[in-house]
Amino acid sequence: MAGSRIGMQTIALSSRPAICGSAAYAGKKEGEGPLGAQFDFVAQDELYNQDTFELAEKQLYLDAIRKAIRKGGSRPEEVQFLLGGDLLNQIITASFSARDLGIPFIGLYGACSTMAESIALGSMLLDGGHAQQVICAASSHFCTAERQYRYPLEFGSQRPPTAQWTVTGAGATLLSMTPKAPVLAHVSHVCMGRVVDLGITDANNMGAAMAPAAADTLLALFSDTHTTPEDYDLIATGDLGQVGHDLLMQLMREQRMPLPDERYTDCGLLIYDREKQDVHAGGSGCGCSGVVLNAHFLPQLQSGQIRRMIFMATGALMSLTSSQQGESIPGVAHAVVLEGAGSKA
Amino acid sequence: MAGSRIGMQTIALSSRPAICGSAAYAGKKEGEGPLGAQFDFVAQDELYNQDTFELAEKQLYLDAIRKAIRKGGSRPEEVQFLLGGDLLNQIITASFSARDLGIPFIGLYGACSTMAESIALGSMLLDGGHAQQVICAASSHFCTAERQYRYPLEFGSQRPPTAQWTVTGAGATLLSMTPKAPVLAHVSHVCMGRVVDLGITDANNMGAAMAPAAADTLLALFSDTHTTPEDYDLIATGDLGQVGHDLLMQLMREQRMPLPDERYTDCGLLIYDREKQDVHAGGSGCGCSGVVLNAHFLPQLQSGQIRRMIFMATGALMSLTSSQQGESIPGVAHAVVLEGAGSKA
């Protein structure tokens, strides 16, 4: 029986869809960070041989998808759905990539939660018998995002300490019910988040805006599955950065479900060397959790170093228009439970 | 057995999820059109008692969702997912509505294909056993869309004859495996579209940009299900308008699968009186197919006037940035097959 439900938000996937292909294409600055050697590819500059930053982001996206499918032992014409999104208006990165790939396209917008949103949805489609193989993808690019959400790059605006640095990178994950390559991990549970907004209006403090949503989803997952943080080798949030990371720790302590320091991390704190790379509160953008999952966590799940983890990407759902109209920033967090390739249901 | 696949793009849903709630909230101009009496509600002006057009669109969205859930005999806390999107950057209409509703949120971006994209995905989640009840929603607003995609409203730009008029309206559809209200229709098949782009660059001719994608999805659906246009009482596209409608007819003739004039229509041609309402090629926007489906087609499916139809919403996936950079407009079309409440599998 597919998809036996557990609670209001969490769904146990009895078929445990397999992840059998992954790729992470990153920008130059990300390549210079502590995870540099783990990426499939590091671009030498922001333009990646294209005419515009937007085309560069699309090329990273396309290349990551093609690589993940290839590493999964498959071909694009054998993949039933592309579930993908990005940060740009009308998700042009994903849409234009879908045009080039010819894979039926399910366009998503979850801001920086997209990597988890796409894997959660893709896993349910596989578990329900609606596809045999799907590719999930998310990206961001420092230059396309900064000029869309904040200021023209040429303006050189000063960034407050709470600001995060938008990651240039694309992550892609191939899910399959009939894997033709070694399995990296299984998706055992998904937990789709509610939109939570505690009134943060500062677009340079997205970690604080997203932390309450992260706590909301984590608490739902723990409650629905009757687990605690101790049941997981690792809990990784998407891109809360230092401010959001600390706030989530505090919120979870207040809810009497403290996250142990040694088992909780945030992709935005892993991707850069914050001492040397001047990124303030850490990394952000869909590409942040996208590349860290695919380059850093999945290999550890495959090797057995991580047996069971929560991957929860968080998104800040504001737009330039909503910010200009004085609206606060709604947050959302979607989570998937990943189990190592060797683990049994 | 859930979700037996048929072909590469079409999926037969063996459980035939039920539509048991629907609502259409429309703007003043739409209320003055031929379908005016069928809408659940018609706003008296563009602002709908709100401070901004964006807040007005959100309020229409929220009200349509709440009404559809209520008509379906349910309450928001009994609905597992909100699958929704809209045309605005970062889908703020859907995201901010999700914040107010507290329903776990799956944010979608499919431009004007959103109503079909959300119903297709929602149906698969029900069919797979991952939810008992989901709400699907899509909206657009003339004033928010025009100023975002084209020109400031105050500029009063002249519109070419190929241009369409963005519908102000929100449609919401409640899908359920355990309906508590009379069933309006069943979803028997879904067909997710590929992104197709034949090189149209004129953002005032979206019908032409979307017609090739519409043909691509229709041909896949017919081929996968071994059906022809004659097997359906009605085939309705989302918002191709007159230009796209005629082009789709031509493309299907060329593929030797002609659409019979009396069985093919387009939501963009139904919503306005084109003789009197000065909308050029017809209506457009996610809200166009959203309100026409919920106010016009679903009651006919319930009454038995339509026994079986294809509802296919089409989307133009460009952004202002992609257009300014000279990119052509990719189109996508997602289709669902709807069967009248009295029909048997």
Side-chain angles (χ1 to χ4, degrees), chain A residues 148-217:
Chain A
Q148 175 181 287
Y149 284 102
R150 296 185 186 85
Y151 298 102
L153 294 166
E154 297 80 354
F155 178 58
S157 74
Q158 197 168 7
R159 301 155 53 78
T162 56
Q164 294 170 240
W165 190 275
T166 304
V167 165
T168 298
T173 309
L174 184 72
L175 300 174
S176 181
M177 295 307 281
T178 53
K180 294 176 212 156
V183 173
L184 307 172
H186 294 281
V187 185
S188 68
H189 297 75
V190 307
C191 185
M192 306 308 289
R194 297 184 290 200
V195 176
V196 178
D197 183 341
L198 297 191
I200 300 285
T201 54
D202 179 0
N204 274 314
N205 193 358
M206 294 196 303
M210 298 188 289
D216 190 71
T217 300

Side-chain angles (χ1 to χ4, degrees), chain A residues 22-27 30 39-41 48 56-65 68 85-86 93 97 115 136-141 167-173 271 286-292 294-295:
Chain A
S22 72
Y25 275 54
E30 293 68 26
F39 299 131
D40 292 87
F41 181 84
Y48 194 26
E57 182 175 353
K58 189 199 89 171
Q59 200 57 46
L60 288 169
Y61 203 86
L62 259 179
D63 288 351
I65 287 174
D86 57 272
T93 308
S97 295
M115 196 72 241
C136 306
S139 76
S140 51
H141 189 300
V167 165
T168 298
T173 309
I271 193 164
C286 310
C288 179
S289 57
V291 299
V292 174
N294 285 287

Side-chain angles (χ1 to χ4, degrees), chain A residues 40-203:
Chain A
D40 292 87
F41 181 84
V42 175
Q44 283 317 295
D45 62 28
E46 305 288 3
L47 276 170
Y48 194 26
N49 300 320
Q50 304 295 316
D51 288 338
T52 67
F53 299 132
E54 284 75 15
L55 287 174
E57 182 175 353
K58 189 199 89 171
Q59 200 57 46
L60 288 169
Y61 203 86
L62 259 179
D63 288 351
I65 287 174
R66 288 189 170 130
K67 180 82 169 182
I69 294 175
R70 204 160 53 238
K71 283 167 74 178
S74 194
R75 291 171 301 147
E77 52 272 31
E78 296 172 330
V79 177
Q80 276 104 22
F81 299 123
L82 162 58
L83 296 118
D86 57 272
L87 290 183
L88 297 189
N89 296 341
Q90 289 75 52
I91 57 166
I92 50 171
T93 308
S95 302
F96 281 79
S97 295
R99 179 182 72 178
D100 291 1
L101 288 162
I103 303 172
F105 177 53
I106 299 177
L108 306 177
Y109 186 78
C112 304
S113 75
T114 305
M115 196 72 241
E117 184 186 5
S118 62
I119 292 176
L121 261 180
S123 302
M124 288 193 277
L125 295 180
L126 292 189
D127 186 63
H130 304 106
Q132 287 295 313
Q133 202 155 233
V134 301
I135 184 84
C136 306
S139 76
S140 51
H141 189 300
F142 178 81
C143 301
T144 66
E146 285 302 313
R147 67 182 182 182
Q148 175 181 287
Y149 284 102
R150 296 185 186 85
Y151 298 102
L153 294 166
E154 297 80 354
F155 178 58
S157 74
Q158 197 168 7
R159 301 155 53 78
T162 56
Q164 294 170 240
W165 190 275
T166 304
V167 165
T168 298
T173 309
L174 184 72
L175 300 174
S176 181
M177 295 307 281
T178 53
K180 294 176 212 156
V183 173
L184 307 172
H186 294 281
V187 185
S188 68
H189 297 75
V190 307
C191 185
M192 306 308 289
R194 297 184 290 200
V195 176
V196 178
D197 183 341
L198 297 191
I200 300 285
T201 54
D202 179 0

Side-chain angles (χ1 to χ4, degrees), chain B residues 26-84:
Chain B
K28 182 163 183 280
K29 186 183 184 87
E30 293 69 26
E32 291 162 357
L35 307 186
Q38 300 173 29
F39 299 130
D40 292 86
F41 181 84
V42 175
Q44 283 317 295
D45 62 27
E46 305 289 4
L47 276 169
Y48 194 26
N49 300 321
Q50 305 295 315
D51 288 338
T52 67
F53 300 131
E54 285 74 16
L55 288 173
E57 182 175 353
K58 189 198 89 172
Q59 199 58 46
L60 288 170
Y61 202 88
L62 258 179
D63 288 350
I65 287 174
R66 288 187 170 130
K67 179 83 170 183
I69 294 174
R70 202 160 54 238
K71 284 167 73 178
S74 194
R75 292 171 301 147
E77 52 273 31
E78 297 173 329
V79 177
Q80 276 105 21
F81 299 124
L82 162 58
L83 296 118

Side-chain angles (χ1 to χ4, degrees), chain B residues 104-176:
Chain B
F105 177 53
I106 299 178
L108 305 177
Y109 186 77
C112 304
S113 75
T114 305
M115 197 71 241
E117 184 186 5
S118 62
I119 292 177
L121 260 179
S123 302
M124 288 192 277
L125 295 180
L126 292 188
D127 186 63
H130 303 107
Q132 287 295 312
Q133 203 156 230
V134 301
I135 183 85
C136 306
S139 76
S140 50
H141 189 302
F142 178 81
C143 301
T144 65
E146 286 302 313
R147 68 182 180 183
Q148 175 181 284
Y149 284 101
R150 295 185 188 85
Y151 299 103
L153 294 165
E154 298 80 354
F155 178 57
S157 73
Q158 198 169 6
R159 301 154 53 80
T162 55
Q164 295 169 241
W165 190 276
T166 304
V167 165
T168 298
T173 309
L174 184 71
L175 299 174
S176 180

